[in-house]
Amino acid sequence: MCIRSAGCALLAALVLACAGAALAAADFGEELRIADAIRSSDPERFVLLLEGLNDRVGEADRHQREMLDYLNAYSAAFRGDFATAIPTAIRLFEQGEDASLRFRAGGLAVNAYASSAELLQGLRYLDELLAMQASVPDAELRLTASAVAAVLFNQVGQFELGLEHAERVLAQTQVERTRCFAALYRAEALQQLGRWPAEASEIEAAALHCDASQEPALAGLLRVLIARQRVTDGHADTGIALVLQHLPAMQATAFPRLLAEAHQLAAELYLARGETERARHHATRAASQSPGIAYSRPVVAAHRILYEISEAEGDVAAAFSHYKRYSEADRAYLDSVKAREIAYQTVRHEIQQKDQTIELLNQRNDVLKLEQQVARTAAQNTTLLAALLALLLAAIGYWAYKTKR
């Protein structure tokens, strides 16, 4: 009886342990799914969930660990730490177990390369991603390749191609986040091409739609584009009003690129109105977003504004310091602009060479097939001829035999 009771107790303990492990795995997987779903819509909660998941990584199976690695890479890219994000994304793209996750990781790598101005590598991986697109069973997931293509083509100054890919995504998806993403890069391409709609209501509607879809970073970037266009159209006051109205929501995203864009634009407009202290405040905030985007346009402009303010105030030491930073950033930015065209042309040339190599291999395969067909025909003809000769010899032998008889 005692032995039996001990055995029952042991069995019960094992059952409870297994049930607990299964429940923990289920909880881990569910938290992972939630973190993935809110990664851009609720950045603060996403970071908290990610910290908890990283502490419990021992509970994860291989697929869950790879998904967690992807989310960690996404988090690093979001805060501008591309040196951490890119290697992880590339490893998952090349070695990941799940095909869909590999595809997502490839898209993240291309996006991170675009944001960090490593455009040559970005274009190379984009070529691989687009080649992989047809093999992905999920139609919505396939569209992410076109979405990141829009980002990268805009970055290299190929705005027609960026517009084409963005509009392709908008025509084929009903997923809210993907539509917000595509709407942003469509608006950016239209602005750069000088085709901004006379009635900007569709762009403003896209920003409101992103708000409703809980994508504040994308909504903020759309509003920065709208504000820049208002300034270009001679309505600077409404432009700055739009930025300042939505600045608290932009701050809550903690997205460096958005904050640099918004604060730099506000600094530019305040400086034009002679409000030096406000201009200095916003320019300093823009320049402070420099990690990961040190040589981006808004950071360069922020250093220029700080230099101009210090020079006007007669603060020689501060003016020299800001001018040095501005000069370095401006030179690097101009170099990156030149590098964009070189990167695009280089990859185009590589793709043309690859296409020519494939075409040459196809032609060689066709020649080999023809040679094999000729060889088979020749072999068949030889066999037929041998059979004919054998038949003729048999006939002659039979005729000789009959004649002799």
Side-chain angles (χ1 to χ4, degrees):
M1 184 73 176
C2 178
I3 294 173
R4 187 176 301 172
S5 299
C8 290
L10 179 60
L11 180 61
L14 287 171
V15 169
L16 287 172
C18 291
L23 183 60
D27 289 345
F28 190 93
E30 179 61 17
E31 287 190 19
L32 201 61
R33 185 196 64 76
I34 293 170
D36 186 31
I38 65 167
R39 65 190 187 280
S40 58
S41 59
D42 192 349
E44 289 185 9
R45 187 184 173 202
F46 170 66
V47 169
L48 291 174
L49 277 174
L50 206 54
E51 289 174 355
L53 289 166
N54 284 322
D55 290 340
R56 298 166 52 204
V57 69
E59 302 172 17
D61 58 29
R62 178 177 173 180
H63 174 70
Q64 289 172 337
R65 282 197 303 272
E66 289 185 349
M67 187 64 199
L68 182 58
D69 286 345
Y70 169 80
L71 293 177
N72 280 319
Y74 176 90
S75 178
F78 190 86
R79 63 178 184 267
D81 183 5
F82 303 114
T84 299
I86 291 173
T88 303
I90 294 299
R91 176 177 57 78
L92 291 172
F93 180 59
E94 295 178 347
Q95 303 172 17
E97 182 182 44
D98 180 71
S100 295
L101 184 58
R102 285 203 311 272
F103 192 74
R104 292 181 67 185
L108 176 61
V110 172
N111 208 345
Y113 275 130
S115 299
S116 62
E118 294 184 60
L119 302 175
L120 186 59
Q121 286 294 91
L123 287 164
R124 285 173 175 154
Y125 277 101
L126 176 62
D127 185 45
E128 290 187 37
L129 195 68
L130 292 173
M132 185 182 174
Q133 197 172 20
S135 65
V136 176
D138 188 332
E140 288 294 343
L141 184 56
R142 284 199 301 271
L143 283 175
T144 60
S146 293
V148 296
V151 177
L152 192 56
F153 284 132
N154 278 7
Q155 280 293 93
V156 297
Q158 299 297 316
F159 296 106
E160 288 287 0
L161 288 172
L163 180 62
E164 177 186 331
H165 281 279
E167 290 185 336
R168 181 181 304 164
V169 174
L170 287 169
Q172 296 181 33
T173 186
Q174 295 304 316
V175 176
E176 304 298 348
R177 182 177 188 278
T178 310
R179 290 188 65 82
C180 284
F181 204 87
L184 169 63
Y185 290 100
R186 176 180 178 271
E188 183 180 66
L190 288 172
Q191 190 171 70
Q192 294 296 326
L193 291 167
R195 300 184 202 164
W196 191 266
E199 292 293 329
S201 54
E202 62 175 285
I203 312 294
E204 292 164 358
L208 291 171
H209 184 74
C210 290
D211 281 334
S213 304
Q214 296 186 328
E215 295 295 343
L218 300 176
L221 287 168
L222 277 164
R223 289 193 172 98
V224 169
L225 289 177
I226 294 168
R228 288 193 184 282
Q229 191 61 39
R230 289 182 181 177
V231 173
T232 301
D233 294 340
H235 306 295
D237 286 343
T238 60
I240 194 170
L242 180 66
V243 170
L244 295 178
Q245 177 188 349
H246 294 280
L247 194 56
M250 295 178 188
Q251 290 282 166
T253 67
F255 186 26
R257 179 192 162 191
L258 171 59
L259 297 180
E261 294 272 3
H263 283 296
Q264 180 271 320
L265 181 59
E268 199 82 55
L269 297 177
Y270 275 129
L271 185 64
R273 286 162 49 168
E275 299 183 46
T276 306
E277 284 309 311
R278 288 183 174 180
R280 191 202 313 274
H281 167 75
H282 287 287
T284 302
R285 295 295 300 274
S288 70
Q289 306 301 322
S290 60
I293 54 171
Y295 305 128
S296 64
R297 181 184 60 180
V299 172
V300 172
H303 284 303
R304 175 184 54 77
I305 291 168
L306 290 171
Y307 155 67
E308 290 178 359
I309 292 172
S310 298
E311 185 183 41
E313 291 175 343
D315 188 341
V316 177
F320 177 76
S321 175
H322 288 305
Y323 181 78
K324 184 179 177 182
R325 293 178 189 173
Y326 162 63
S327 179
E328 290 172 353
D330 187 49
R331 191 182 310 112
Y333 175 70
L334 292 175
D335 288 344
S336 73
V337 170
K338 294 174 187 175
R340 293 175 190 178
E341 181 63 23
I342 295 171
Y344 179 67
Q345 295 301 335
T346 299
V347 172
R348 275 191 63 189
H349 180 64
E350 289 176 356
I351 293 171
Q352 286 173 353
Q353 281 188 322
K354 188 188 299 182
D355 291 342
Q356 288 170 358
T357 302
I358 292 170
E359 181 62 27
L360 182 59
L361 289 172
N362 288 336
Q363 289 175 0
R364 286 179 180 173
N365 286 336
D366 290 341
V367 169
L368 287 173
K369 287 177 183 176
L370 287 172
E371 288 175 350
Q372 290 171 355
Q373 186 176 354
V374 168
R376 282 196 300 269
T377 304
Q380 290 171 355
N381 289 340
T382 301
T383 304
L384 288 172
L385 182 59
L388 183 60
L389 286 172
L391 183 62
L392 181 59
L393 287 171
I396 292 171
Y398 180 73
W399 174 79
Y401 171 76
K402 292 292 288 183
T403 302
K404 188 174 181 180
R405 289 284 299 245

